[in-house]
């Protein structure tokens, strides 16, 4: 029993070679068609005992026409329509000068199949019907026997099947090509989606790290400055400031350790052991700023307290307040005061952070806060990205009379809640 895999390998290599060398494969097909036409020209089909080889001999004109018909088939894929016209003309000429005619119609059948497989359906129908009608009509008119002889009807049948087979092959090739194109497009889409998700995740991680590090390092910097300033005169206050430094640094290290731990996991991340920061933890956040010397007043309307915000909006509101107060502590004057409000109205929540600018003449080394992020800051950029991702808007700028105002409007309608719950 032959090895099936070996036969498949031979077939695959042969098919690949034929596609890589179309002119050579067409030359081999032309030679095979010429041999078949010559063999058929020596066969007589009109005998009472059936086909008989050697019962007749083709004349030199028919042999020449068959050689020409086979030769032009070498170019059938390069110029299908001219090759069809040439083979059809040679077949008509053979029907006119040779009796009985040679089987030159085989070359026209091959050419008609090529036209059907290389052009569109309307062209195939028009050219196929014209070729079938002309060849069959001339054969019936010039036939020495009855017009319905088997040789005449076979021309009609073979030309019709050639056009139909060529159109079927073209349709299948187009169908397979469309499937392959859709598969490649789907693969590209998956790769682009994966790259987009990776970029979004990197941006989210960078934004969270910035919020954590900027907040805690700013508090550490402030409390360390206070401790250094009062170390000699008021050691008790310096000790309290250092305690705040230790607490802020411990909190920063804890959050950084949790974030890095998630990044180092190779599989699905485990469920977090601590809840995500949100407005429920806002009092503790505000206390850290108050301990750092920034008076903060906070207000929230009853609806926001009773219903809360969706998880994404809740986290965004927390991070916006955290970053805005960090900027106030870094850039506003030493006597600055801040106000934070969360108002839930209709399908939106407004988060507003105000400061009065404090003592403008005693601004910190970072300089007055103008909201300009061209110098490399990422605070406002991160807040704007968070708000935009939720479909909200962020406005930030100096207040009339001094200070700075940051306001975010987040959509928190019922559809957002349902989408997160699902």
């Amino acid at each position: 029993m032959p090895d099936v895999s070996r036969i498949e390998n031979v077939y695959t290599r042969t098919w690949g070679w034929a596609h890589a060398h179309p002119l050579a494969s067409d030359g081999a097909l032309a030679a095979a068609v010429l041999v078949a036409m010559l063999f058929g020209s020596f066969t007589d089909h009109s005998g009472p005992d059936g086909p008989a080889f050697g019962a007749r001999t083709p004349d030199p004109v028919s042999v020449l026409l068959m050689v020409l018909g086979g030769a032009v088939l070498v170019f059938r894929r390069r110029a299908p329509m001219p090759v069809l016209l040439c083979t059809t003309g040679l077949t008509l000429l053979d029907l006119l000068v040779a009796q009985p005619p040679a089987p030159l119609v085989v070359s026209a059948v091959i050419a008609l199949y090529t036209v059907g497989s290389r052009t569109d359906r309307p062209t195939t129908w028009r050219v196929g019907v014209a070729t079938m009608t002309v060849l069959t009509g001339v054969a019936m008119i010039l036939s020495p026997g009855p017009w319905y002889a088997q040789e005449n009807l076979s021309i009609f049948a073979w030309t019709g099947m050639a056009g139909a087979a060529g159109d079927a092959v073209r349709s299948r090739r187009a169908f397979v090509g469309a499937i392959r194109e859709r598969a490649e497009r789907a693969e590209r889409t998956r790769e682009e989606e994966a790259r987009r998700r990776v970029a979004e995740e990197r941006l989210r991680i960078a934004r969270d790290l910035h919020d954590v590090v900027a907040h805690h390092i700013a508090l550490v910097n402030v409390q360390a400055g206070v401790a250094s300033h009062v170390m000699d005169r008021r050691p008790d206050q310096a000790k309290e400031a250092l305690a705040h430094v230790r607490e802020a640094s411990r909190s920063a290290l804890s959050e950084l350790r949790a974030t890095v731990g998630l990044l180092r996991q190779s599989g699905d991340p485990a469920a977090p052991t601590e809840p995500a920061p949100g407005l429920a933890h806002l009092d503790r956040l505000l206390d850290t700023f108050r301990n750092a010397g920034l008076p903060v007043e906070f207000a929230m309307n009853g609806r926001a307290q009773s219903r809360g915000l969706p998880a994404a909006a809740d986290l965004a509101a927390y991070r916006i307040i955290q970053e805005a107060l960090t900027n106030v502590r870094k850039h506003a004057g030493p006597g600055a005061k801040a106000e934070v409000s969360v108002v839930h109205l209709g399908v939106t929540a407004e988060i507003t952070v105000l400061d009065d600018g404090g003592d403008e003449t005693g601004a910190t080394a970072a300089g007055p806060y103008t909201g300009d992020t061209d110098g490399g800051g990422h605070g406002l950029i991160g807040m704007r990205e968070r708000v935009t991702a939720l479909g909200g808007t962020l406005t930030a700028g100096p207040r009339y009379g001094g200070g700075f105002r940051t306001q975010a409007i987040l959509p928190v309608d019922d559809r957002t809640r349902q989408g997160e719950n699902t």
Side-chain angles (χ1 to χ4, degrees), residues 77-331:
R77 280 191 279 190
R78 290 190 173 186
M81 199 66 71
V83 170
L84 176 61
L85 293 175
C86 185
T87 53
T88 302
L90 293 174
T91 303
L92 292 175
L93 184 60
D94 182 68
L95 290 174
L96 291 172
V97 300
Q99 289 299 333
L104 198 60
V105 71
V106 176
S107 62
V109 168
I110 299 297
L112 181 57
Y113 164 81
T114 305
V115 170
S117 64
R118 293 280 168 175
T119 59
D120 52 23
R121 177 164 296 174
T123 302
T124 301
W125 277 97
R126 289 195 297 266
V127 174
V129 171
T131 304
M132 181 173 55
T133 301
V134 171
L135 291 180
T136 306
V138 172
M140 289 180 175
I141 293 173
L142 300 178
S143 176
W147 64 270
Y148 51 86
Q150 178 181 356
E151 293 80 3
N152 301 333
L153 296 179
S154 64
I155 294 177
F156 177 85
W158 282 107
T159 52
M161 287 190 296
D167 181 71
V169 169
R170 180 198 54 77
S171 299
R172 182 182 181 278
R173 188 184 297 128
F175 177 73
V176 172
I179 293 178
R180 184 180 295 112
E181 182 182 0
R182 284 197 297 269
E184 294 174 353
R185 185 166 58 249
E187 184 66 24
R188 289 194 302 268
T189 303
R190 282 195 297 268
E191 294 176 357
E192 293 172 358
E193 179 67 15
R195 286 194 296 267
R196 185 186 65 82
R197 289 181 178 274
V198 169
E200 289 180 352
E201 186 64 16
R202 290 177 59 187
L203 182 62
R204 184 192 66 80
I205 294 171
R207 191 163 52 230
D208 288 342
L209 287 176
H210 172 269
D211 291 343
V212 172
V213 173
H215 167 63
H216 292 291
I217 296 302
L219 295 180
V220 168
N221 180 55
V222 170
Q223 295 292 351
V226 171
S228 175
H229 183 67
V230 301
M231 179 67 71
D232 296 331
R233 295 175 299 171
R234 304 168 71 177
D236 294 339
Q237 187 175 353
K239 185 180 297 184
E240 182 182 354
L242 291 177
H244 290 311
V245 169
R246 184 175 61 181
E247 181 65 25
S249 60
R250 182 187 296 114
S251 179
L253 289 174
S254 177
E255 292 195 37
L256 286 176
R257 189 181 299 112
T259 303
V260 174
L262 289 175
L263 295 178
R264 291 175 63 89
Q265 291 182 11
S266 58
D268 294 334
T273 57
E274 296 183 359
L279 296 181
H281 305 85
L282 193 57
D283 290 338
R284 186 170 56 184
L285 174 68
L286 298 181
D287 287 339
T288 62
F289 285 101
R290 295 181 180 122
N291 294 332
L294 176 64
V296 181
E297 296 182 4
F298 175 65
M300 179 187 293
N301 71 341
R303 184 174 183 184
Q305 290 179 344
S306 62
R307 298 191 60 184
L309 301 181
D314 194 42
L315 174 61
Y318 180 90
R319 291 302 188 190
I320 290 169
I321 295 173
Q322 181 185 49
E323 181 62 28
L325 290 177
T326 301
N327 289 334
V328 173
R329 194 65 189 86
K330 290 169 57 178
H331 298 281

